[in-house]
Amino acid sequence: MSNYLKKALQKLLVQRRHRLYEERIAEQAVPYGVWTEKLLEEEKADILRWKEEAAKWGKQRLSVSVLTWQGFCDALSGGEKAQDMREDLWIVTKEPSYLAEEAAAEAERYFLEHPACGIAYGDEAGYFKPGWSPDLLQSFFYFGNVFVVRRALAERVREKVERAENFCGGNLSGAVKVYGEGGVEKPGGEDAAKGTVQERLYGLVLYCIDEAKEAGHIEKILFLPDAQFDERDWGMEPEFDGIKKGHLYSDAEIPEEKERQELVSVIIPSKDNPAVLSNCIHSLREQTAYQNVEIVVVDNGSDDKNRKKILQMQHQLKEEYSFRYIYMPMDFNFSAMCNLGAKEAAGNYLLFLNDDMEIAREDWLSVMMSKAAKRYVGAVGAKLLYPDSDKIQHLGITNIHLGPAHKLQFSSDKKAYYHGINRCAVNVSAVTGACLLIRREVFEEIGGFDERLEVAFNDVELCFRLLRAGYKNVCCNQTFLYHHESLSRGFDAGEEKVARLHRERDLLYAAYPEMWNRDLYYSGRLVTDILDRGYEPACRFEEKRLSERGEVIRLEGELDPVWYNECLYMGLEFTGDESAWKTGRSGGGDYYIQGWSYAVSVDNSRYEKSLLMKAIRLQDRQDEQGENEERLWKIPYRECYRPDFQENLPYIDHPALSGVSVWIGRDALPKGEYLIGYLWEDMCSRQKLCGFSAETLRVE
């Protein structure tokens, strides 16, 4: 065949692959609007069933009214006509016309099911809110455009508001009343001086929280704004600072004078990194406004040369740069080193800090202390950026289906994300031990770090233990430090490190089964099944919708060495059995593999892809092909649509179908342990690409 015909044929094949690529994306992609409509239909059907059941059995009912922001402010500020509002629940909204059709019924059901609840907020189309987050409410008014107050609570608060000085600030089938100014019944909301209404509303809600102690979360879409609606968040502006003071969850006032400040013991685990350690200590002493600080360095066995450098640095530093040096040779165990430092520390506050941290803002410790000093707060972290950049490394740890994850990692901090989550203090399930502040009494109460977790997840386990004990963890994303991540111990790569990572994750969820695939501060209606760094709706990727059953095919011979190519990148997000996927603990069912792969410098759409399974240990050593031959299997799969790769890899040719989501029958492979890789076969030529990850699957 002539070169011309070959090129013409290949062009046709490539065009066919491009059409197939687009068809697969269209088949798998679920537009947000379509997904939201389905969600609303499901919610409506569910509440209609509840209403029928309630009517059938004559269950208790609560009457509901709707108030505008202005109407609510007037009702709690002594408006005479507000006394006539006798409904049990008040739905407070910026614009009543945008309430969901069944908002009143959803509010009624929630408060019937939660009789102790006095105030609750609902979700909005486009904003799936976290569970009760007092520190987020101190940051801005995240209740947003719809919340519900029990009248009994409102009346108690009204009495207190009337006494406060200088405050600025039915039945299932019945009609829902709407009130505006002065409690006067009216068909809709009305305008008022925007800033004044917002200030009064914010302050009144904080009074409600003072009385109720916490707020509930109605995890239903109660508010449906259209494209013209102004949904900007508010409450972070300076004019709200005074309103936030003097309440149950207000931040602690941190004195500027050293003699009035609590002593903070900064505990820095370090080994064989004198230059890195020096940079950390100097930046801490020079860039920290908070003055009452001691530094305790815990060294688990630097060699003689580096130990002498550290001792020399200790003796040569001025008194204001001084630090205590504890030298205790032992295998690396982050938990044990932190616990040792805590025992030797003198402060009532303990700050665990990696030696590869660099202070960037003078306010960082004062901001963190304003949270740590509050009696209900457990661990406090801060925003961490990669050095000399605006790239985010840490904003708090989110506990998704795949385990602890860093949302927005590698994203630019120049823009605000998902209602300003990178701009303010937020409640989180966990914060990184690279920068973790905690009161000594709380640290000792829960028993310190778990020394069984030597390297990974020890910070997450500590934070989970704090949650279980009733504390709330906070990440201060209004300030930041630089983190030269993993300078000290390297990255978790290679089979041994990956295996250790999995063992420690298994220990974590064996101890905290209630935390598997659950995060109070991250809505289950956001994506959880993949390591998507954004805050995107769950329709972006759902395992139950995209996964498929894989066919296991035995490969004869060995892989051609020329197929191994550094242009192929890969990763595995989950490998394990059905029980591990559903509960976090292995125990039975078929096996599931989820991950991704893409290649640079080639057209990704041209390839058919398979997982590769290479036996590294088989229980049955008898094999007709001989002991020296590789035991290889491939599992062809249909690529999964991963919009996160499409967005984050603009320099890659056709990267959208980078995902894999495959179930394998429990008896499809011989019992043993397998190294997992990828095989790509070009459908427009004879080229093949392959490679192996450090991930393994154990078939039992």
Side-chain angles (χ1 to χ4, degrees):
M1 184 183 297
S2 68
N3 287 336
Y4 174 79
L5 288 176
K6 285 182 179 179
K7 289 181 179 180
L9 178 58
Q10 188 175 62
K11 183 177 180 180
L12 291 174
L13 292 173
V14 170
Q15 290 174 345
R16 181 176 180 277
R17 294 298 300 180
H18 287 172
R19 287 195 301 272
L20 181 60
Y21 173 85
E22 296 297 337
E23 289 170 3
R24 286 179 174 175
I25 292 176
E27 176 190 350
Q28 296 182 36
V30 177
Y32 175 70
V34 173
W35 177 76
T36 304
E37 286 297 322
K38 182 180 178 182
L39 196 60
L40 287 167
E41 290 174 6
E42 292 173 352
E43 289 183 357
K44 184 175 181 179
D46 181 55
I47 198 65
L48 289 175
R49 285 192 296 269
W50 177 82
K51 290 167 72 173
E52 291 173 359
E53 195 72 14
K56 178 179 178 182
W57 298 107
K59 292 184 178 180
Q60 177 186 0
R61 296 174 178 180
L62 298 174
S63 55
V64 182
S65 62
V66 176
L67 282 74
T68 62
W69 285 358
Q70 181 70 56
F72 177 73
C73 291
D74 289 345
L76 265 69
S77 299
E80 291 184 6
K81 294 183 179 181
Q83 306 292 338
D84 298 331
M85 293 189 299
R86 307 310 301 170
E87 288 80 15
D88 300 301
L89 302 176
W90 300 353
I91 297 179
V92 185
T93 178
K94 181 179 181 181
E95 179 48 67
S97 63
Y98 290 137
L99 286 176
E101 181 180 350
E102 298 295 340
E106 291 287 10
E108 180 182 9
R109 174 165 66 170
Y110 184 86
F111 279 82
L112 284 172
E113 293 174 349
H114 301 82
C117 181
I119 181 171
Y121 53 92
D123 285 345
E124 306 174 28
Y127 188 14
F128 300 108
K129 299 170 186 175
W132 166 232
S133 304
D135 292 278
L136 186 62
L137 187 59
Q138 281 293 128
S139 295
F140 77 101
F141 194 75
Y142 84 90
F143 285 13
N145 293 297
V146 59
F147 62 93
V148 187
V149 179
R150 201 182 288 271
R151 188 193 73 231
L153 172 66
E155 290 175 346
R156 295 198 303 272
V157 171
R158 179 167 55 208
E159 293 175 1
K160 292 188 176 183
V161 169
E162 288 173 350
R163 295 195 298 267
E165 293 183 359
N166 300 320
F167 173 72
C168 90
N171 64 48
L172 291 167
S173 59
V176 176
K177 296 183 179 180
V178 178
Y179 295 93
E181 291 225 29
V184 179
E185 187 176 349
K186 57 182 287 151
E190 64 180 63
D191 295 329
K194 184 176 180 182
T196 302
V197 172
Q198 288 179 333
E199 290 172 13
R200 293 174 65 200
L201 180 71
Y202 204 158
L204 287 168
V205 166
L206 292 177
Y207 273 106
C208 288
I209 296 300
D210 292 344
E211 183 71 18
K213 303 299 185 288
E214 62 181 35
H217 179 201
I218 305 172
E219 297 182 68
K220 305 288 184 179
I221 299 176
L222 304 186
F223 195 79
L224 297 164
D226 61 25
Q228 305 302 315
F229 187 79
D230 181 3
E231 289 189 280
R232 288 177 295 178
D233 300 309
W234 54 272
M236 294 188 196
E237 298 84 351
E239 57 263 34
F240 294 98
D241 290 348
I243 292 169
K244 300 174 186 179
K245 295 180 179 179
H247 292 282
L248 180 62
Y249 295 101
S250 295
D251 292 348
E253 296 286 341
I254 303 302
E256 295 182 3
E257 303 83 3
K258 180 177 180 179
E259 58 272 12
R260 295 180 57 213
Q261 294 174 342
E262 291 276 4
L263 176 63
V264 177
S265 296
V266 181
I267 299 163
I268 306 177
S270 185
K271 176 188 175 184
D272 288 325
N273 280 303
V276 173
L277 177 64
S278 176
N279 182 62
C280 177
I281 291 174
H282 277 81
S283 70
L284 192 155
R285 291 296 191 183
E286 294 168 2
Q287 299 290 332
T288 304
Y290 193 95
Q291 302 175 60
N292 198 11
V293 172
E294 71 161 355
I295 298 175
V296 181
V297 175
V298 181
D299 188 336
N300 66 314
S302 290
D303 60 33
D304 289 342
K305 180 180 178 181
N306 286 317
R307 185 186 180 193
K308 288 178 181 177
K309 287 183 178 180
I310 295 172
L311 289 169
Q312 184 179 25
M313 176 173 61
Q314 183 186 30
H315 293 141
Q316 290 179 346
L317 287 175
K318 298 178 181 178
E319 183 178 350
E320 59 267 28
Y321 287 79
S322 64
F323 63 91
R324 295 166 59 196
Y325 183 48
I326 301 171
Y327 184 77
M328 184 69 69
M330 58 179 167
D331 291 338
F332 180 81
N333 184 320
F334 180 83
S335 298
M337 294 170 72
C338 288
N339 289 340
L340 175 60
K343 289 178 182 177
E344 297 294 328
N348 288 329
Y349 287 78
L350 306 174
L351 174 65
F352 301 97
L353 194 70
N354 276 18
D355 63 0
D356 56 1
M357 300 298 303
E358 182 179 350
I359 310 307
R361 289 176 49 136
E362 291 186 350
D363 70 345
W364 71 284
L365 188 51
S366 299
V367 168
M368 293 177 71
M369 280 292 290
S370 71
K371 296 295 183 182
K374 300 198 281 187
R375 59 179 178 79
Y376 69 90
V377 169
V380 179
K383 175 164 64 182
L384 305 182
L385 302 181
Y386 287 104
D388 302 320
S389 77
D390 62 1
K391 301 301 182 185
I392 295 168
Q393 191 263 322
H394 168 266
L395 295 170
I397 295 172
T398 304
N399 193 47
I400 64 172
H401 197 163
L402 300 176
H406 290 278
K407 283 290 180 176
L408 295 175
Q409 189 174 21
F410 306 116
S411 299
S412 171
D413 194 42
K414 287 184 178 179
K415 61 178 287 189
Y417 300 92
Y418 205 65
H419 303 270
I421 200 164
N422 59 318
R423 292 283 186 267
C424 61
V426 296
N427 292 106
V428 291
S429 285
V431 297
T432 176
C435 179
L436 187 155
L437 177 64
I438 187 171
R439 299 196 306 281
R440 175 188 286 279
E441 62 179 352
V442 176
F443 185 76
E444 293 178 347
E445 174 192 334
I446 65 168
F449 284 96
D450 187 340
E451 296 185 11
R452 295 176 301 167
L453 298 171
E454 301 175 358
V455 179
F457 303 120
N458 31 53
D459 44 9
V460 178
E461 192 279 334
L462 179 81
C463 291
F464 282 5
R465 208 164 352 128
L466 288 164
L467 294 178
R468 186 180 278 179
Y471 294 99
K472 291 189 178 294
N473 303 313
V474 185
C475 195
C476 298
N477 294 331
Q478 70 271 47
T479 189
F480 69 91
L481 296 80
Y482 288 122
H483 185 199
H484 299 254
E485 186 184 25
S486 297
L487 276 177
S488 302
R489 62 179 177 86
F491 292 94
D492 286 319
E495 292 177 43
E496 183 178 342
K497 288 188 176 182
V498 168
R500 184 199 64 219
L501 192 70
H502 289 323
R503 286 196 303 271
E504 294 187 343
R505 186 179 65 182
D506 291 344
L507 278 173
L508 175 70
Y509 289 112
Y512 301 91
E514 73 274 14
M515 293 300 297
W516 177 253
N517 194 22
R518 179 182 180 272
D519 192 317
L520 176 64
Y521 307 108
Y522 181 81
S523 173
R525 290 179 169 178
L526 298 175
V527 65
T528 67
D529 287 348
I530 57 173
L531 291 173
D532 188 338
R533 70 191 188 198
Y535 286 77
E536 303 292 344
C539 60
R540 194 169 172 92
F541 185 99
E542 296 171 296
E543 174 271 316
K544 61 183 179 182
R545 177 171 58 85
L546 293 175
S547 63
E548 61 179 6
R549 181 72 50 178
E551 177 188 5
V552 178
I553 302 171
R554 175 69 188 266
L555 292 178
E556 302 297 334
E558 299 182 0
L559 300 173
D560 192 325
V562 301
W563 297 350
Y564 289 87
N565 196 303
E566 293 182 357
C567 77
L568 182 60
Y569 290 78
M570 66 193 73
L572 277 298
E573 294 170 325
F574 182 88
T575 60
D577 61 27
E578 184 176 7
S579 178
W581 178 251
K582 291 182 176 179
T583 70
R585 291 170 291 173
S586 299
D590 291 339
Y591 294 98
Y592 178 57
I593 298 176
Q594 179 181 297
W596 51 267
S597 66
Y598 66 86
V600 297
S601 304
V602 299
D603 182 348
N604 285 232
S605 70
R606 289 173 47 161
Y607 295 83
E608 288 295 310
K609 302 166 187 176
S610 302
L611 286 170
L612 282 175
M613 310 294 290
K614 179 165 69 174
I616 53 179
R617 277 179 289 275
L618 289 179
Q619 290 187 19
D620 183 3
R621 292 291 181 179
Q622 300 299 317
D623 188 274
E624 67 278 5
Q625 299 298 325
E627 287 291 332
N628 295 325
E629 187 173 353
E630 287 185 332
R631 300 171 179 83
L632 288 167
W633 289 260
K634 76 172 183 177
I635 306 170
Y637 64 86
R638 180 191 62 165
E639 307 102 314
C640 290
Y641 178 46
R642 292 289 296 261
D644 51 329
F645 281 85
Q646 186 175 31
E647 294 161 1
N648 298 328
L649 298 173
Y651 52 89
I652 301 297
D653 194 353
H654 294 94
L657 296 176
S658 293
V660 55
S661 180
V662 172
W663 288 94
I664 306 168
R666 193 165 188 89
D667 300 323
L669 287 166
K671 294 180 179 180
E673 190 170 5
Y674 297 83
L675 192 64
I676 306 173
Y678 289 88
L679 174 65
W680 284 29
E681 300 177 80
D682 191 345
M683 295 293 101
C684 305
S685 74
R686 296 180 180 179
Q687 184 192 45
K688 291 182 175 62
L689 304 173
C690 74
F692 284 92
S693 70
E695 293 278 356
T696 62
L697 176 68
R698 186 171 184 81
V699 176
E700 298 178 339

